[in-house]
Amino acid sequence: MNMAVDQAWLEHSTIPVLRIYTWDQPTVTLGYAQSLPKLQDALPGWPVVRRWTGGGVVLHQEDYTYSVIVPPADPWSETTALESYRRIHGSLAEALSHNGHPGCRLALQEDVIEAPFCFVAPAVHDVIRGPVKVAGAGQRRGKLGLLHQGSVQQVILKPEFWTQWATRLAKEVLTVDTAPEPVLARATELEQKRYALTEWLAERDDHLPRV
């Protein structure tokens, strides 16, 4: 359902959205292009879901999970992948440094490690603190706009952190506790016809109409 809500927001939103959410149990998310059979033996015995975005394996247990959702009419959706990572993670690194986690910075090319598990493998413009990766993300870009799904780990954050970070990203911030009904209705359909399916997890196949 978490993956479905993110996609539904992308389909319906007319303004940028910063969504903060948690998991009701430890969960693994796989990047869109990753092979489950190749990774299966290395995964913990947790529920697994495939994301619509790229990136590596993320273990969601004590992390903070967020999404930046940008509709196609907003100029941010037209930035290159590398530039959007730099903007989002640069702002996040500054917010973390100003909220009790000094030394957070963007990873450079010399910090990059190639591995399927996201948080042992910094990519360019991920957020690191010393040798530790504290924030990574995957993206999907297309006619619907930009979906950036991120995870923050290895830090403790106060609830007000997210509103403070949002004010770094936008001039005006409106806080809501739940998604609008059309988003939730579409998310329920996406959960049933895509994200809950074994076909989606194994082969990226779903039961949605082809357009």
Side-chain angles (χ1 to χ4, degrees):
M1 190 62 173
N2 273 333
M3 300 296 94
V5 171
D6 276 350
Q7 181 178 339
W9 264 118
L10 184 67
E11 293 178 1
H12 283 81
S13 183
T14 57
I15 59 173
V17 174
L18 172 61
R19 176 176 176 244
I20 313 302
Y21 58 96
T22 58
W23 303 80
D24 63 5
Q25 58 187 307
T27 303
V28 178
T29 62
L30 305 181
Y32 178 79
Q34 288 190 301
S35 169
L36 179 60
K38 291 181 179 179
L39 295 166
Q40 187 73 69
D41 291 345
L43 299 178
W46 301 351
V48 182
V49 64
R50 184 180 298 280
R51 300 190 304 274
W52 203 31
T53 55
V57 177
V58 181
L59 306 181
H60 303 279
Q61 186 175 24
E62 297 179 348
D63 70 326
Y64 304 90
T65 317
Y66 74 91
S67 297
V68 176
I69 298 151
V70 185
D74 190 281
W76 264 53
S77 71
E78 300 176 359
T79 59
T80 65
L82 197 62
E83 175 63 11
S84 58
Y85 272 104
R86 186 191 68 78
R87 290 189 189 186
I88 295 170
H89 283 172
S91 177
L92 179 58
E94 290 178 358
L96 288 167
S97 292
H98 282 88
N99 283 271
H101 304 287
C104 288
R105 66 174 179 87
L106 296 184
L108 304 174
Q109 185 61 51
E110 55 263 34
D111 300 306
V112 171
I113 297 173
E114 297 291 340
F117 282 78
C118 181
F119 276 82
V120 297
V124 171
H125 295 342
D126 279 344
V127 180
I128 60 175
R129 188 183 185 204
V132 177
K133 177 173 174 175
V134 298
Q139 288 190 355
R140 185 175 188 90
R141 317 166 68 82
K143 63 181 181 180
L144 293 173
L146 165 66
L147 173 59
H148 173 105
Q149 292 178 313
S151 175
V152 181
Q153 304 190 8
Q154 311 292 339
V155 294
I156 302 298
L157 301 177
K158 296 179 180 179
E160 59 267 26
F161 170 82
W162 298 104
T163 301
Q164 293 172 2
W165 181 37
T167 62
R168 290 176 174 270
L169 296 172
K171 295 179 181 178
E172 183 178 353
V173 175
L174 171 66
T175 302
V176 297
D177 294 327
T178 188
E181 185 56 38
V183 171
L184 295 177
R186 175 59 170 162
T188 298
E189 179 184 28
L190 289 168
E191 179 191 26
Q192 295 170 353
K193 296 183 178 181
R194 170 171 283 175
Y195 293 104
L197 299 178
T198 56
E199 303 100 299
W200 171 256
L201 180 59
E203 300 291 342
R204 303 192 297 265
D205 289 336
D206 58 40
H207 297 169
L208 295 173
R210 298 304 175 189
V211 293

